Amino acid sequence: MRRILAGLLIAVLLAPSAVAVRAAETEALDLSADSAVLMEQSTGTLLYEKDAHTRRAPASVTKVMTLLLIAEAIERGSLTLQDTVTASEAAASMGGSQIWLEAGETMTVDEMIKCIAVVSANDCAVAMAEKLAGSEQVFVQKMNDRAKELGMTDTHYVNCTGLTDDPEHYTSAYDVALVSRALLSHDWIQDYTTVWMDEVRGGEFTLTNTNRLVRSFDGATGLKTGFTQEAMYCLSASAEREGIGFIAVVLHAPSSDQRFADAAALLNYGFSAYTLWSAEKNVALPPVRVNLGEKDSVQPICDGDSVLLDKDGGPADYELLLPDSVEAPVQAGDLLGTLKVLNDTGTAAEIRLLASENVQRLTVWQLWGKLLEKV
């Protein structure tokens, strides 16, 4: 086996699961919210948690799931941004944050999404629920089904807005991070969640984002605020800088200012402490010779994205385990070897190296032809 050792800037490699934060760092954050999490967006790694699985009222953070189902319908092609939506009596009767739709008023899906994302319009959320599912009740069932698919074990919805508190309408900070990550996977949603000010109805109605981090926090990409008397001040905030993104969720903060301060502290901690490292960008994988193959060699590739999260930037090594040669035939996806990422305690991760293409075995006539070429 070929073994290559080289220095890399990796210190602590984190798997995409909950990781305990050192006590000193936890105390330094000094958050006011009763529940909070920080998640790295691309890997789903949980970097900080405080009562992450306690079930709490989510208020309008509920609409992250509403927006996700809308986004997925658009991706499936069952809905377009240009489709029109007609407000029902039920949608027009919603209270709280709204744009005061009138029964029978029509808007495009594009405008409806903008109103939900920017000003948390309850009337638009219900109108979209009815557009997609026929009724809010059926839409809510779809919300709960999607929550189960995402592994949101501490979540149950009874409406699509979060406007009214209900003991059966709850979620957790961790679950909000999960659904926020799913929504952010639709990159275009940021065209709406990053809007600071805009307008609808031909300029007659002005929208100003309820999430002030969109204006004040460098790299902010959204996402959703919420408030009720029971839920208190809630926020799912996301940001991205230099290719790495984080999701900060705070639930049941005592004031609006404190929810934004908590989220900003979490996001700043993420950006200051963590970076992403890509095996494909940092490791040169040599081709592997193929014996008796129609091609002389096959190029190994990393299995999956091979993007790893590292902390503090300390030095470590990698060990590349590849054979000098393999026998034909080779099928794309065949396991060729392993890339081991090493830290101070040993192997931090093992990345499978796969064949990038098919290499067929030489036929007898092809083999004779190659032999004659050498004569």
Side-chain angles (χ1 to χ4, degrees):
M1 300 288 282
R2 184 187 293 115
R3 295 173 181 264
I4 302 174
L5 293 177
L8 293 178
L9 296 180
I10 301 176
V12 180
L13 193 63
L14 303 177
S17 58
V19 177
V21 178
R22 289 177 298 197
E25 294 172 339
T26 303
E27 293 169 2
L29 286 170
D30 191 25
L31 303 182
S32 64
D34 288 331
S35 291
V37 301
L38 177 68
M39 180 178 286
E40 196 282 316
Q41 185 177 325
S42 66
T43 63
T45 305
L46 188 61
L47 306 175
Y48 172 89
E49 61 179 298
K50 176 184 178 182
D51 288 329
H53 297 282
T54 299
R55 295 177 175 181
R56 301 188 184 278
S60 284
V61 175
T62 297
K63 297 187 184 83
V64 176
M65 177 61 84
T66 302
L67 288 168
L68 175 62
L69 295 190
I70 296 170
E72 291 177 340
I74 290 172
E75 295 285 352
R76 288 195 305 270
S78 58
L79 187 71
T80 74
L81 293 173
Q82 291 71 44
D83 287 346
T84 58
V85 183
T86 302
S88 68
E89 291 282 357
S93 68
M94 297 302 296
S97 299
Q98 58 184 314
I99 63 165
W100 289 277
L101 285 173
E102 295 184 3
E105 182 178 359
T106 61
M107 282 189 171
T108 64
V109 170
D110 172 72
E111 292 172 309
M112 289 280 183
I113 295 174
K114 185 191 304 181
C115 293
I116 297 169
V118 177
V119 297
S120 195
N122 295 308
D123 43 5
C124 293
V126 173
M128 284 303 307
E130 293 172 340
K131 173 72 172 180
L132 286 173
S135 70
E136 183 182 7
Q137 183 179 6
V138 175
F139 185 82
V140 169
Q141 183 57 54
K142 294 180 182 294
M143 293 171 67
N144 286 317
D145 291 344
R146 191 69 180 99
K148 290 178 181 178
E149 292 172 356
L150 291 171
M152 298 168 63
T153 57
D154 295 305
T155 295
H156 184 263
Y157 301 110
V158 299
N159 59 63
C160 69
T161 63
L163 173 61
T164 57
D165 292 320
D166 186 301
E168 294 304 312
H169 188 90
Y170 54 81
T171 190
S172 66
Y174 177 73
D175 284 2
V176 172
L178 290 180
V179 68
S180 298
R181 182 176 179 235
L183 179 59
L184 288 165
S185 69
H186 304 278
D187 294 341
W188 56 266
I189 201 67
Q190 294 180 30
D191 294 340
Y192 301 93
T193 58
T194 58
V195 170
W196 174 240
M197 294 188 71
D198 209 326
E199 56 190 29
V200 291
R201 297 189 177 114
E204 295 180 3
F205 193 92
T206 301
L207 309 174
T208 302
N209 205 315
T210 58
N211 178 11
R212 72 186 190 205
L213 293 185
V214 167
R215 187 180 188 185
S216 64
F217 194 87
D218 180 27
T221 56
L223 199 57
K224 192 71 201 69
T225 60
F227 170 80
T228 64
Q229 289 297 326
E230 182 179 341
M232 295 299 290
Y233 294 89
C234 306
L235 174 64
S236 176
S238 58
E240 183 177 340
R241 298 176 191 166
E242 299 180 358
I244 187 170
F246 297 96
I247 299 165
V249 178
V250 294
L251 299 181
H252 211 263
S255 72
S256 180
D257 286 347
Q258 287 172 298
R259 71 175 164 187
F260 291 122
D262 283 357
L266 286 166
L267 293 171
N268 281 325
Y269 167 70
F271 286 118
S272 66
Y274 294 90
T275 57
L276 287 179
W277 177 86
S278 169
E280 293 181 347
K281 293 180 179 179
N282 289 278
V283 180
L285 299 176
V288 176
R289 188 170 70 250
V290 179
N291 297 327
L292 300 178
E294 291 182 350
K295 295 183 178 181
D296 294 332
S297 64
V298 63
Q299 180 62 43
I301 58 173
C302 295
D303 184 13
D305 292 337
S306 301
V307 175
L308 311 173
L309 188 65
D310 73 271
K311 189 173 187 299
D312 298 331
D317 292 323
Y318 69 79
E319 186 175 8
L320 186 60
L321 304 175
L322 280 170
D324 292 323
S325 64
V326 294
E327 297 294 320
V330 176
Q331 300 297 317
D334 281 354
L335 179 64
L336 296 178
T338 304
L339 172 65
K340 290 186 177 182
V341 183
L342 311 173
N343 62 20
D344 294 339
T345 61
T347 301
E350 293 190 8
I351 300 169
R352 288 159 34 100
L353 302 178
L354 310 179
S356 60
E357 60 180 334
N358 296 334
V359 179
Q360 300 301 326
R361 188 177 181 86
L362 289 170
T363 65
V364 173
W365 295 111
Q366 288 173 322
L367 184 57
W368 272 107
K370 281 187 171 289
L371 290 173
L372 289 174
E373 288 175 4
K374 296 180 180 180
V375 174

